Amino acid sequence: MTLAKIASAAGLLLGMSSVPASAQSQGTEAQPSRAQQLMGDVAPKLAELTDDVLFGDVWERPGLAKRDRSLITVAALIALNRPEQLRSHLRLARQNGVTETELVETITQLAFYAGWPNAISAVGVAREVFAEKNAQESQVPAPAADAVVVTKAGSQPTVAGSPDNFTGAVEVAMRFQRPLPARTGGGIVSFAPGARTAWHSHPLGQTLIVSEGSGLVQHWGGPVQQIGQGDLVWIPPGVKHWHGAREASGMAHVAIAEAQDGKSVTWMEQVSDAQYRGSVR
Ligand code: MN
């Protein structure tokens, strides 16, 4: 699994760094993740779970916007009086579009629900974090909530496709899920030769743009269609289908789907070898 990229995001939360993930991870493919650096020697499984499950999966889930995830995480850390983790999460919250004003309001509100001393501690941490930001602003302008956001190539975690949902080696890079009211999400999915999705459907359909190689797509009961670099594919809403590489060639595509009630895919059974081999190769 490719985890170096998750690393820098994880590092922010583990309090190891104040450098934005996007600025830190470029050209540093082989570096161990921050979780690995922090605890990999003593607790390698915890480091792995932090990378894979917490930052590779939970934080990436489309059911809640990252901004909202930041807000509730900050609130929990204030309520639990965890200043070290709060420091990292205040930084991340700002990256995720929570303003300083909103963070101060959060602390003020929580004084009445989580206790005065917790709020006072949080103010102290927030003062330091806000000061860092102001010092950095002269070099790297912080993106405003209404600013265009450019995610630099390679700055996002690449995660392996779950064996529950894919056959063969599959990697998903540049995953994104836009916050409500936007519903668009997706990523770049790379299939090794012979690899494919399980049968599945998308509640509001899916667009695929083949960026590399050549592959196959089929809807239930329909013909297997060959697709290649530059082709555009539309999967209508609710249609059971699969897509993947040919046996002789890998394939990568950009996949874009809108979420309905926070869900953009319904997974079903695997595409058996017989089903796959019954197809064109
Ligand atoms: Mn699909």
Side-chain angles (χ1 to χ4, degrees):
M1 201 166 297
T2 306
L3 293 171
K5 299 298 175 48
I6 301 173
S8 34
L12 282 167
L13 304 184
L14 294 165
M16 296 293 288
S17 169
S18 62
V19 180
S22 56
Q24 202 174 46
S25 60
Q26 292 174 28
T28 54
E29 280 290 342
Q31 286 191 2
S33 75
R34 290 291 178 173
Q36 293 290 346
Q37 290 175 19
L38 187 65
M39 59 182 133
D41 55 339
V42 175
K45 187 62 187 178
L46 183 56
E48 183 190 318
L49 289 169
T50 302
D51 286 337
D52 290 6
V53 180
L54 179 56
F55 296 108
D57 185 0
V58 175
W59 271 87
E60 296 294 328
R61 290 178 60 76
L64 200 58
K66 282 193 178 161
R67 182 185 182 285
D68 297 335
R69 288 186 191 277
S70 270
L71 210 45
I72 59 172
T73 306
V74 163
L77 294 171
I78 293 170
L80 293 166
N81 203 1
R82 302 286 159 83
E84 271 317 299
Q85 286 75 26
L86 178 62
R87 183 184 313 280
S88 312
H89 273 283
L90 287 174
R91 294 177 186 134
L92 187 67
R94 282 208 337 266
Q95 287 187 11
N96 287 339
V98 185
T99 65
E100 285 187 13
T101 302
E102 289 168 329
L103 289 169
V104 171
E105 282 301 314
T106 302
I107 294 169
T108 304
Q109 172 108 351
L110 284 171
F112 293 87
Y113 290 93
W116 197 264
N118 291 19
I120 301 307
S121 301
V123 167
V125 176
R127 178 188 291 113
E128 292 174 23
V129 171
F130 295 169
E132 286 171 5
K133 189 202 87 170
N134 295 333
Q136 283 171 10
E137 256 174 1
S138 53
Q139 301 156 358
V140 183
D146 59 352
V148 170
V149 176
V150 175
T151 304
K152 298 303 286 181
S155 66
Q156 295 271 77
T158 297
V159 296
S162 164
D164 293 340
N165 304 330
F166 297 91
T167 296
V170 176
E171 285 202 329
V172 187
M174 298 302 274
R175 287 201 298 180
F176 64 91
Q177 180 64 53
R178 301 314 184 196
L180 290 170
R183 297 189 293 186
T184 309
I188 302 173
V189 190
S190 300
F191 300 85
R196 66 269 188 180
T197 68
W199 291 99
H200 64 284
S201 65
H202 306 281
L204 297 176
Q206 183 181 45
T207 295
L208 306 176
I209 305 168
V210 182
S211 51
E212 280 178 58
S214 107
L216 304 167
V217 61
Q218 180 184 26
H219 68 261
W220 186 257
V224 175
Q225 300 190 66
Q226 296 187 51
I227 51 178
Q229 185 174 350
D231 289 349
L232 192 58
V233 180
W234 167 237
I235 314 290
V239 169
K240 182 175 177 177
H241 69 288
W242 65 270
H243 29 108
R246 299 177 66 180
E247 274 195 309
S249 164
M251 189 264 288
H253 63 52
V254 177
I256 301 166
E258 287 176 285
Q260 187 175 54
D261 300 325
K263 190 173 177 180
S264 58
V265 59
T266 300
W267 289 107
M268 303 172 198
E269 75 275 15
Q270 294 286 359
V271 176
S272 69
D273 287 347
Q275 287 172 325
Y276 180 74
R277 296 222 165 90
S279 68
V280 182
R281 276 159 291 153

